[in-house]
Amino acid sequence: MDDEYVRGIVSSANGTNKTAVDQWRGPVRQSFMHSPKLFLKTFETRKDNAFFHDRDRVDHLMIKIAYGLYFHAFKKRWASIPAPFYKQFYDEDGITDFESRLPGYRDAGYHTVLAGANPSVFKYSFSEADFNGEPNVSLKLIFYEGFEVLIMPVKTSEVRPVLVFK
């Protein structure tokens, strides 16, 4: 159910492409019609033009994706704790997740070549850099050419602020 929950959030995000709209109108809509509880859970908390989502649930799925892609690329387990940061998530003050949780994110590594068999749906890139005083990689995920997630290695789990999705 986490997959469908996150798919509903990502496909409804501002700044995504026509493929996301098609997913929203097709399989996502069908999923919500099959499970109205899933729809209500996904979009239950609203403030002005924004919806609050279950950050832990979204993070859990993104971390699973990160571990899988890391293993696929490097043929070993990622020894770090990956932490997701979202371009489309905001805190209650309207500051993006990137800005509030990852100061200097623009300097966090340059992601050049994006891989993915269907780039209009999903693409990703690893970037090597020095994190927390050690060599490591960051991972950039882009869903539907607009929903961006930056996965950064951290040494400990961080307290996550309440985030808003616009």
Side-chain angles (χ1 to χ4, degrees):
M1 289 304 284
D2 286 347
D3 294 353
E4 290 189 39
Y5 177 80
V6 174
R7 180 178 68 168
I9 293 168
V10 171
S11 66
S12 67
N14 287 334
T16 55
N17 62 15
K18 183 183 180 314
T19 305
V21 173
D22 292 344
Q23 284 294 308
W24 176 256
R25 289 181 179 158
V28 174
R29 182 172 168 254
Q30 289 295 325
S31 177
F32 287 149
M33 289 175 66
H34 178 72
S35 176
K37 285 183 180 181
L38 177 63
F39 176 81
L40 294 173
K41 186 68 178 167
T42 306
F43 299 103
E44 72 181 329
T45 309
R46 180 179 177 168
K47 180 180 177 184
D48 300 325
N49 292 334
F51 291 95
F52 289 78
H53 298 294
D54 184 341
R55 173 66 185 258
D56 289 334
R57 200 168 173 184
V58 177
D59 282 358
H60 178 73
L61 184 65
M62 294 300 166
I63 289 169
K64 283 174 47 176
I65 292 169
Y67 277 131
L69 289 172
Y70 186 91
F71 188 83
H72 175 74
F74 300 102
K75 308 298 184 233
K76 63 181 181 177
R77 291 193 59 176
W78 200 353
S80 297
I81 300 170
F85 301 86
Y86 304 88
K87 181 179 178 183
Q88 279 85 354
F89 282 4
Y90 296 79
D91 64 21
E92 292 180 356
D93 296 330
I95 306 297
T96 69
D97 188 34
F98 278 4
E99 295 167 329
S100 67
R101 294 183 61 227
L102 191 59
Y105 73 93
R106 294 179 197 276
D107 303 321
Y110 186 67
H111 294 266
T112 53
V113 178
L114 296 170
N118 190 349
S120 67
V121 175
F122 176 72
K123 52 191 170 185
Y124 67 95
S125 173
F126 285 98
S127 179
E128 294 182 21
D130 187 37
F131 298 96
N132 303 315
E134 300 174 9
N136 210 323
V137 297
S138 63
L139 171 61
K140 184 176 190 177
L141 309 174
I142 303 176
F143 298 87
Y144 301 116
E145 299 179 321
F147 187 87
E148 292 186 30
V149 183
L150 185 60
I151 310 284
M152 302 290 290
V154 296
K155 289 188 177 207
T156 61
S157 297
E158 299 175 4
V159 176
R160 293 176 178 87
V162 174
L163 293 176
V164 180
F165 173 76
K166 290 185 179 180

